[in-house]
Amino acid sequence: MKLTKEIETEIWNEYGSYKEVENYIEKWHESDEQNCWENFEKKGNNGNIDLNATLHSIPGDIIIKIAIDLGLDTPDFIPYIPTFKNELKSEFKTAYETFTKAHKLIENDPSIAVGLANSALESIIKEILKDERISSKIKGTETLYKLVTIILKEFNITNNNHPIEIKTIGSSLIAICQSIEKLRSEKTNFHGKTDDDYLLKDPIYTYFIVNSLSTVGLFLNSYYKTKFPKPEINIIDNLTF
């Protein structure tokens, strides 16, 4: 109910007129007149669409797709993605724009969504590694697997002083990023594919991949802010006597 209300408000804010609102809803409407079937009922009053009533007739899976298309957060369904977006918005502008595009494409183009999400995490790590307090320097051409290997070493996550369990988790983070990078390179449209090649098409796996990537990104940024806090700037006001 809450998500549907947010969708209703956002659609009116975005489109404004009854005609444009109806055109947007039509994008999601499917019907088969021969078999008397439609995926939801478009309702109206005096020739104008009744958006509230129409939205409440739409199945939940389509409601979630509409929310994603409008850029609304869906924390009850995709828990880490909205949290990750908020982190990016305040600190990593380029990565935020890339990740937002990925988020919107999860349903309509899962393959491209994975590639963009991969690029967003690369951008975050590159920004963190620019910090002068971090010793490792990069060329700028490193891929996700190399970047996460470098940053975990800088964060001492994979050194021999930690218990084996911590080192295992660190190695698992590297394995996750390596797998996401391989999916981007070998199972998406980011590189040429033939008809016989496997192509990532199912959104459910894309949600799984993007959520995993978001979890890694949130951890890296949280660790960075904890271990490398921004220096305090002392501002002395000029006093006029």
Side-chain angles (χ1 to χ4, degrees):
M1 292 287 287
K2 180 180 178 183
L3 184 59
T4 302
K5 182 62 179 176
E6 291 175 358
I7 289 172
E8 181 183 4
T9 301
E10 186 63 24
I11 289 176
W12 281 118
N13 289 341
E14 182 71 22
Y15 297 102
S17 71
Y18 280 103
K19 183 62 178 176
E20 289 184 347
V21 167
E22 186 169 0
N23 287 339
Y24 178 77
I25 291 298
E26 184 62 34
K27 169 182 174 182
W28 303 97
H29 186 247
E30 297 176 5
S31 63
D32 183 346
E33 294 183 3
Q34 185 175 354
N35 295 307
C36 299
W37 172 87
E38 59 182 346
N39 58 346
F40 62 84
E41 181 183 356
K42 292 188 296 179
K43 301 186 179 183
N45 292 313
N46 301 320
N48 292 322
I49 189 171
D50 184 335
L51 182 59
N52 182 275
T54 299
L55 288 174
H56 282 285
S57 76
I58 297 177
D61 61 324
I62 301 176
I63 284 291
I64 294 172
K65 292 177 183 179
I66 293 173
I68 291 170
D69 185 63
L70 294 169
L72 297 173
D73 290 339
T74 54
D76 292 336
F77 305 98
I78 319 168
Y80 283 108
I81 290 177
T83 307
F84 191 45
K85 280 177 63 181
N86 289 335
E87 288 275 328
L88 296 181
K89 189 174 184 179
S90 61
E91 300 175 39
F92 304 97
K93 182 179 178 181
T94 300
Y96 172 75
E97 292 173 353
T98 303
F99 190 79
T100 299
K101 291 178 184 177
H103 183 211
K104 289 187 174 183
L105 288 172
I106 287 176
E107 288 285 348
N108 296 327
D109 199 336
S111 176
I112 298 299
V114 169
L116 289 172
N118 180 95
S119 298
L121 186 54
E122 286 181 357
S123 296
I124 294 167
I125 298 174
K126 287 178 180 178
E127 284 294 326
I128 291 175
L129 291 174
K130 285 181 181 179
D131 193 313
E132 295 179 353
R133 294 169 294 177
I134 295 178
S135 59
S136 292
K137 303 305 174 187
I138 57 175
K139 298 176 182 178
T141 57
E142 292 84 355
T143 60
L144 181 60
Y145 168 66
K146 182 64 175 176
L147 288 168
V148 79
T149 301
I150 292 171
I151 199 168
L152 288 178
K153 183 178 180 181
E154 282 289 335
F155 288 173
N156 293 319
I157 300 297
T158 53
N159 68 25
N160 291 324
N161 294 326
H162 289 306
I164 187 64
E165 293 81 3
I166 298 294
K167 291 172 61 180
T168 299
I169 293 172
S171 298
S172 298
L173 291 179
I174 294 173
I176 289 169
C177 292
Q178 185 179 31
S179 296
I180 293 172
E181 182 180 292
K182 287 191 69 177
L183 281 168
R184 175 190 181 276
S185 299
E186 301 174 9
K187 304 295 188 299
T188 73
N189 283 322
F190 269 74
H191 295 282
K193 293 288 174 291
T194 69
D195 292 340
D196 296 329
D197 290 332
Y198 176 86
L199 187 65
L200 188 64
K201 295 180 179 179
D202 193 334
I204 192 66
Y205 296 119
T206 310
Y207 285 125
F208 175 50
I209 294 162
V210 176
N211 258 314
S212 299
L213 187 147
S214 301
T215 304
V216 174
L218 283 169
F219 165 71
L220 293 177
N221 191 42
S222 177
Y223 190 98
Y224 168 63
K225 290 191 295 184
T226 300
K227 298 298 182 180
F228 297 88
K230 290 183 179 180
E232 293 184 5
I233 300 175
N234 294 322
I235 301 176
I236 302 176
D237 294 328
N238 292 324
L239 302 177
T240 303
F241 295 93

